[in-house]
Amino acid sequence: MIALKNNDIILGRSEGLYKLSDGCQLKLTIKGMGNAPVYSLYEDGNSLLAGSDGVIYRIKNNQVADTIKAISGEEQRVRNILVDTRGNIWFNIWGLKDIYMISGKNSTNVSEIVGINNGAVTRII
């Protein structure tokens, strides 16, 4: 769930995105995304990043502007998305003990490089 700068509250669910309005969840139609599950949300300037199964969708004006390949493997639920001041996208995968970073087209397992993959990641700050 995320509260956007325009005060909209958006929910990620197993069948896509919803907007909370007057206590009701209204399904959002996002062109190019279908009913993909959403595990994490991050507002990045004028776009919304949505973590799904192995990908991060960049959504602008209710359509997918970019699909960023995050990771492949058995477990792929992208969580805890964060974008730093340099535009790098940080995230982790549900059930794994690693933190990843995407810089441009390159994806890096940061935990592996610095040797800090001994604990569960619950949030990236």
Side-chain angles (χ1 to χ4, degrees):
M1 179 183 326
I2 187 171
L4 301 177
K5 292 173 189 163
N6 68 4
N7 294 321
D8 285 349
I9 297 175
I10 305 297
L11 309 164
R13 297 192 46 186
S14 59
E15 63 281 341
L17 289 173
Y18 288 75
K19 179 179 176 181
L20 190 62
S21 178
D22 296 325
C24 296
Q25 296 180 27
L26 306 173
K27 176 90 165 87
L28 297 176
T29 302
I30 307 297
K31 185 178 179 180
M33 191 171 148
N35 290 323
V38 176
Y39 309 110
S40 180
L41 295 165
Y42 183 86
E43 187 173 18
D44 183 31
N46 64 350
S47 67
L48 182 66
L49 299 179
S52 189
D53 288 325
V55 298
I56 299 171
Y57 295 105
R58 182 176 298 278
I59 301 166
K60 293 182 183 180
N61 302 317
N62 291 326
Q63 65 181 9
V64 174
D66 192 14
T67 302
I68 305 161
K69 178 76 172 152
I71 190 171
S72 59
E74 188 175 317
E75 189 55 67
Q76 301 180 356
R77 293 181 227 168
V78 176
R79 299 184 50 221
N80 297 313
I81 298 171
L82 177 86
V83 178
D84 66 22
T85 57
R86 295 180 180 168
N88 299 315
I89 301 171
W90 297 76
F91 65 95
N92 74 305
I93 301 295
W94 179 270
L96 299 182
K97 297 178 179 181
D98 297 315
I99 298 172
Y100 298 87
M101 181 188 71
I102 297 173
S103 180
K105 298 290 181 185
N106 299 317
S107 181
T108 303
N109 182 332
V110 176
S111 297
E112 204 172 78
I113 291 171
V114 297
I116 56 166
N117 52 1
N118 293 329
V121 178
T122 59
R123 188 162 186 205
I124 299 173
I125 300 174

